[in-house]
Amino acid sequence: SYSDVVALDLHTGLGHRGRLHLLTDSNDRGLHQALLGQILDPKSDEPIYEYTPDHHEGFYTVYGGTNNLFAELAADDQRVVALTMEFGTFGHDLKAQLEGLNQAILDHQGTHYGYASEAIKKEIADWTLERSFPSDPGWRNQVVDTSKKFLTTVLGRLGSIKA
């Protein structure tokens, strides 16, 4: 019964450490341009987030995720904006990307073929948790503060909440 639907899917991992990146999905129906323009102003909102469309270098197109689901379930007359809120954990430079790829490969190899030792298994498990939910209280506080700013700014433009 809603004419406008704004869906936000929260993730951690990609991007500059502690920085909020807004990622779009592969479904144009999930990104109604007029509604998107009404809620986002990437230039003035730059201190809060970085708008990172799916074609942005170092990121990827999201297929089959929650964002697509909202677009597929929407009625023809509903305006849908479905975004992924991605908070960077390890950074976005080449070194961080290569370390992340190496750890992901070791994790998959260990899961499917066994780990060389319990110490390596623990190291990979610790790294995987740290990648998704860093233990640094500064990072965690920054994510909460940025999320509050984002929600009050963006949803406030719809009149959904008071800034």
Side-chain angles (χ1 to χ4, degrees), residues 48-117:
I48 303 170
Y49 64 83
E50 184 175 324
Y51 181 59
T52 312
D54 63 349
H55 61 276
H56 195 84
E57 185 179 341
F59 289 82
Y60 56 86
T61 301
V62 178
Y63 295 99
T66 304
N67 293 347
N68 293 92
L69 178 67
F70 281 95
E72 290 171 13
L73 293 175
D76 290 337
D77 60 341
Q78 284 180 307
R79 302 186 318 166
V80 176
V81 169
L83 300 167
T84 298
M85 296 172 62
E86 181 94 25
F87 284 96
T89 55
F90 281 148
H92 195 61
D93 63 6
L94 183 58
K95 181 177 184 265
Q97 290 180 38
L98 289 173
E99 286 175 352
L101 178 60
N102 183 56
Q103 293 287 357
I105 290 169
L106 291 174
D107 185 28
H108 283 87
Q109 284 178 332
T111 298
H112 295 286
Y113 303 106
Y115 294 91
S117 71

